[in-house]
Amino acid sequence: MTLSLSFTHPILSRHVHSTALSLSSSPPPPPPGFFFFSPPTPTSLRFHFLYRVPQRAAAFSAAQTAALFQDTAASAAVLAGAYALVFTFDTLTQKELIQQNLSRKLVHILSGLLFAFSWPIFSNSILARYFASVVPLVNCVRLVIHGLSLADDQGLIKSVTREGNPKELLGGPLYYVLILILCALVFWRESPVGVISLAMMCGGDGVADIMGRRFGSSKIPYNRNKSWVGSISMFVFGFFISVGVLYYYSVLGYFQLDWGWTMCRVALVSLVATVVESLPFTTVVDDNISVPLATMIAAYFSFRP
């Protein structure tokens, strides 16, 4: 009696190993099945061994490895850039070359925008957005640690708080990095919604605060803490920064936009974000929550197919 064993790879559907024991010079082809038996024939004895390397699987694994290295290096580079940005403005503040409030707002503007502009250096892997989110996640942990006074970092506190109170880190700054994480994980490079939300929160709201403090003598009637100059600045700068970010991504091939309609949609989104920012409920809902969430909703309905 002859016993032959055949094994088929379950994923690649490829015959990768075969062992045949036969007593004939030309054994008949086996019927389909995992195990089979055939009648004996009194001739030669032969063994056949065949192994094929799963080349597609190996190539896929190599691509995954390359993407892993790329995303790891990109995360490290962005994290180093974030630390360098805060360190630079902390140094300028300590040397009294720049006021603390201005330093805080410039960090607010630049860190989020640089984060959004860094997304294209990550790979096309499905894990890329998670690697990018590591950067704001690390900053989130830092804010919680120092906000709870578990550690002391005066440079960080001076750079991102209004009055130097560590507990402030658990407010606006913490909401800020949580929005960065949300935009990366939910929208990433696949939708204009995320980058517009960051543009309005970082650029529009940040410039509004700077301009409002310097030139905002004329207050909005329904909110004496906001000025017309600040709101107009938010609309104008939020609009142009949003268009600039969208153009950046469209040049790189992530978005294909009809610019006539896009300008109208961005103007509408900027107007919604500006109105929400001017409303008198900042003591209840922080601007770093209300502005980006309002922008997300407006941009989602404006840019959906």
Side-chain angles (χ1 to χ4, degrees):
M1 180 176 290
T2 299
L3 173 64
S4 297
L5 176 64
S6 177
F7 169 72
T8 302
H9 194 285
I11 297 177
L12 300 179
S13 299
R14 179 180 296 178
H15 180 217
V16 297
H17 186 270
S18 173
T19 305
L21 175 61
S22 66
L23 296 176
S24 65
S25 58
S26 352
F34 194 84
F35 294 101
F36 58 87
F37 294 90
S38 60
T41 52
T43 39
S44 60
L45 178 67
R46 296 192 305 171
F47 291 86
H48 300 283
F49 294 90
L50 175 62
Y51 179 74
R52 296 179 183 176
V53 178
Q55 296 178 353
R56 291 184 182 177
F60 182 69
S61 177
Q64 280 188 318
T65 303
L68 180 64
F69 277 110
Q70 179 180 347
D71 291 334
T72 302
S75 295
V78 176
L79 187 61
Y83 273 93
L85 180 69
V86 175
F87 176 78
T88 299
F89 282 100
D90 175 40
T91 302
L92 294 175
T93 302
Q94 289 181 352
K95 292 183 178 180
E96 298 182 351
L97 296 175
I98 189 173
Q99 295 179 354
Q100 181 177 344
N101 284 333
L102 181 59
S103 172
R104 179 179 61 84
K105 273 303 169 182
L106 290 176
V107 170
H108 174 99
I109 294 170
L110 295 176
S111 57
L113 292 179
L114 291 176
F115 178 63
F117 275 96
S118 73
W119 290 354
I121 70 175
F122 290 86
S123 74
N124 293 325
S125 166
I126 58 174
L127 298 177
R129 67 182 70 198
Y130 298 100
F131 277 92
S133 300
V134 168
V135 179
L137 179 61
V138 170
N139 288 322
C140 180
V141 173
R142 288 182 67 209
L143 293 173
V144 172
I145 290 174
H146 293 93
L148 296 175
S149 298
L150 301 177
D152 185 30
D153 186 346
Q154 290 299 317
L156 174 66
I157 294 172
K158 290 180 180 179
S159 297
V160 299
T161 62
R162 294 177 183 270
E163 305 189 6
N165 186 349
K167 292 183 179 180
E168 292 182 55
L169 298 175
L170 302 177
L174 181 59
Y175 304 146
Y176 180 91
V177 295
L178 290 176
I179 291 296
L180 297 184
I181 296 173
L182 178 65
C183 288
L185 292 181
V186 176
F187 301 107
W188 192 225
R189 301 172 302 205
E190 301 167 359
S191 169
V193 175
V195 292
I196 293 176
S197 299
L198 294 184
M200 292 304 304
M201 179 183 73
C202 304
D205 187 38
V207 174
D209 187 80
I210 294 175
M211 299 298 290
R213 288 178 181 274
R214 290 180 175 268
F215 309 106
S217 57
S218 179
K219 303 297 181 181
I220 297 177
Y222 56 84
N223 187 357
R224 305 304 296 176
N225 293 322
K226 303 291 182 178
S227 65
W228 286 108
V229 170
S231 292
I232 293 172
S233 299
M234 178 169 180
F235 175 81
V236 173
F237 281 89
F239 172 81
F240 282 108
I241 292 173
S242 297
V243 170
V245 176
L246 290 177
Y247 181 75
Y248 168 72
Y249 274 89
S250 67
V251 167
L252 294 178
Y254 292 103
F255 303 146
Q256 299 207 354
L257 303 170
D258 179 347
W259 284 102
W261 280 106
T262 296
M263 302 287 271
C264 296
R265 291 168 178 170
V266 174
L268 175 61
V269 172
S270 300
L271 179 61
V272 171
T274 300
V275 171
V276 169
E277 192 270 343
S278 70
L279 297 176
F281 53 63
T282 53
T283 55
V284 179
V285 182
D286 191 273
D287 285 350
N288 288 335
I289 296 178
S290 61
V291 170
L293 290 184
T295 304
M296 287 178 196
I297 295 171
Y300 173 78
F301 286 103
S302 298
F303 284 90
R304 69 176 181 176

